[in-house]
Amino acid sequence: MIKAIGFEYSENDGVATITLNRPERLNALTFDIYRELVETFAALQNESQVRSVVITGNGRAFCSGGDVRDIIGQLMDRDVSELLEFTRMTCDLVRNIRALRKPVIAALNGTTAGAGACIALASDIRIASEEAKIAFLFVKVGLSGADMGAAHLLPRLVGLARATELLFTGDFIDAGEAERIGLYNRVVPADILRGEANNLAVRLAAGPGFAIGMTKEMLNRELDQSFDTALEWEAQAQATCMQHPDYREAYQAFIEKRQPKFKG
């Protein structure tokens, strides 16, 4: 099992749960928490007992972004090479979430802002509580709204026009609006959020892990490709899946009128 210091980590029923746990600071990220999250999502690739991931927060926030005192204040005294080292590390977190060939569900329990919004954006599915307002705050502090992949990923979820507005203004939108524009997959009452996210994670963990991983890879790879290239990649991906034992197991289960037992 992965060991964590900067956040809570647990595994159950094939699901790894990462819980950001600085509620007194609205789960703001520190340098150390950033690094540990980068390393954790990289390590999860090789954790065979983990087949899906939930990331959430304790308290009234999912994640409010980088800690003003522990990160932003310290960055003021760094030179350009040191600043680039930091910004590349933040991008590595998003890169590792997207590269993980396992579904990642963000259970957004409250305020989701800045880097927290980008973590949610990088996740495969976003289930939010009714209190989960979200903002890409970067321009509010004089930074580019294009941070941690936001300018690449957000237009693909909500369209270019709405993404431009959100990244230009840095304004919060409430959960209902985020669901309406397609940023949130669903919105649920706060008291059932964890259960909803976990139930979906367990369902996906019990599914054909190889096929789900291949689907995620194709979603990533096809973002900027021509239709013909996408078709060829999908043909190759499907032929690969057809050689995997999960494909034969699904067929046998259908013939035998039983639930399949996928091995991932």
Side-chain angles (χ1 to χ4, degrees), residues 5-233:
I5 298 174
F7 46 84
E8 296 176 356
Y9 179 90
S10 63
E11 295 176 8
N12 191 41
D13 294 330
V15 178
T17 301
I18 295 169
T19 306
L20 303 175
N21 191 29
R22 299 180 74 216
E24 74 287 354
R25 301 289 297 162
L26 299 182
N27 297 322
L29 304 176
T30 65
F31 289 111
D32 289 340
I33 294 173
Y34 259 123
R35 291 189 190 95
E36 195 168 9
L37 285 170
V38 170
E39 293 166 359
T40 295
F41 276 100
L44 281 167
Q45 194 77 270
N46 298 316
E47 294 288 321
S48 59
Q49 75 280 8
V50 172
R51 294 164 63 89
S52 65
V53 180
V54 173
I55 182 165
T56 190
N58 276 333
R60 58 191 181 92
F62 170 70
C63 175
S64 58
D67 192 286
V68 174
R69 291 183 303 207
D70 293 348
I71 288 185
I72 297 175
Q74 293 189 41
L75 291 177
M76 298 295 175
D77 298 323
R78 298 193 175 190
D79 63 27
V80 66
S81 64
E82 293 170 319
L83 292 173
L84 190 55
E85 180 182 12
F86 169 70
T87 55
R88 283 175 172 160
M89 179 184 69
T90 68
C91 289
D92 283 342
L93 173 55
V94 168
R95 181 180 289 108
N96 289 353
I97 293 172
R98 293 307 312 152
L100 181 62
R101 288 175 63 94
K102 301 170 185 182
V104 178
I105 300 168
L108 307 176
N109 53 296
T111 299
T112 303
C118 292
I119 292 171
L121 186 60
S123 300
D124 299 298
I125 296 172
R126 287 153 294 282
I127 303 177
S129 78
E130 294 163 334
E131 293 77 27
K133 61 181 182 177
I134 188 169
F136 298 85
L137 288 174
F138 307 107
V139 295
K140 298 278 192 181
V141 295
L143 296 175
S144 166
D147 192 33
M148 294 176 68
H152 181 84
L153 295 172
L154 188 59
R156 289 160 173 81
L157 286 181
V158 305
L160 179 60
R162 198 58 204 269
T164 300
E165 181 181 358
L166 290 172
L167 297 180
F168 276 12
T169 66
D171 289 345
F172 276 101
I173 57 173
D174 63 26
E177 178 68 2
E179 182 183 32
R180 187 187 72 79
I181 65 175
L183 183 50
Y184 292 170
N185 293 77
R186 72 188 75 150
V187 175
V188 300
D191 60 344
I192 66 169
L193 173 65
R194 295 283 186 100
E196 285 281 308
N198 188 69
N199 288 342
L200 178 57
V202 169
R203 175 185 171 190
L204 293 174
F210 184 83
I212 291 172
M214 183 66 79
T215 303
K216 182 170 179 176
E217 181 181 341
M218 290 299 104
L219 286 167
N220 284 332
R221 291 177 65 186
E222 292 179 27
L223 284 174
D224 299 306
Q225 298 302 317
S226 70
F227 186 52
D228 283 344
T229 298
L231 287 174
E232 176 58 23
W233 281 355

